Amino acid sequence: MNTTAYRYPNEILILTGTLFLVFAVILLTSTATFCLSGIFIVFFFAMAYFSVRSHHRALMQHGYRVTHQNAPKLAEILDDAANRLKVEPVEVYVIRSNALNAYTFGISTPKVIVITDSLLKVLDADELQYVIGHEMGHVKLGHTWLNSIIGGMAGIPSPYLAFAVLHLAFRSWNRACEFSADRAGILANGNPRKAITALIKIGSGGRARTDAELARAYAALDAQDDTLAGNLGELLGTHPLMIKRIEKIKGYAGSKQYRDLISQIR
Ligand SMILES: [Zn+2]
């Protein structure tokens, strides 16, 4: 006996139709998601463009643009760093803030670098040249505009788990960018030791000044990667732990690539 001969005649037909429908729905929804993602990225990029413009306008009102007339020493540091890194012309602004911070933004040229006046008070010339070189490294490597596009992609509305994965991946790229920019920083100032003291001073909130204070602040930074909170904070943050940046700077400063590049820059 054919053991399945009693199958109801329409069963296979209905199965075929059902499978066809399943694939059609998958195709339709994935095409819709794909198109929506494209629209979302364009929308996000446009938003980023306009927020950059208004940010720029606010800076011009609340900060000052560095020139050879109003800040000759700082302007010289900027020129030297830009020459060494062969970076496109950038606009540098100083803003009043208690934060020890520097950042860069911009989609179109010229990109903008912002430094707080507190940072100018805490760091010496070589340390500043590292910080400025770091920001110029972000500009040179395209991190400023890539950040707007990739940030937009990572922000695509997606199911919770997918959103978390995208977000973590984006953050890990952010942290890799910081290591690259730190390399640019020590190529710009030619003095890795001063890059490290700059990071320790920033990490200590500007309180560490003397050698003894710097050593104590370094020990405190060194303890951060021993704690769960420190490591978790890093995983979710845009910046690696200070101590990891310092270790990477030390490693790169001892590399053949650094020696080769610095000999071409000098
Ligand atoms: Zn950075």
Side-chain angles (χ1 to χ4, degrees), residues 101-103 134 138 143 147 151 167-182 230-242 245:
N101 198 14
Y103 62 93
H134 173 105
H138 280 312
H143 298 158
N147 206 23
H167 192 76
L168 288 178
F170 180 53
R171 286 284 173 261
S172 80
W173 173 72
N174 283 150
R175 293 192 298 275
C177 291
E178 292 310 314
F179 291 135
S180 301
D182 279 342
N231 284 295
L232 206 61
E234 181 183 52
L235 189 68
L236 301 172
T238 56
H239 283 61
L241 289 174
M242 283 290 193
R245 291 176 64 184

Side-chain angles (χ1 to χ4, degrees), residues 27-45:
L27 194 71
L28 262 172
T29 49
S30 55
T31 309
T33 307
F34 194 75
C35 293
L36 273 176
S37 301
I39 292 167
F40 189 82
I41 289 166
V42 171
F43 174 75
F44 194 91
F45 195 75

Side-chain angles (χ1 to χ4, degrees), residues 52 192 199 252:
V52 160
L199 286 179
Y252 188 65

Side-chain angles (χ1 to χ4, degrees), residues 40-41 44 148-157 166:
F40 189 82
I41 289 166
F44 194 91
S148 298
I149 300 179
I150 298 176
M153 289 183 190
I156 283 171
L166 283 176

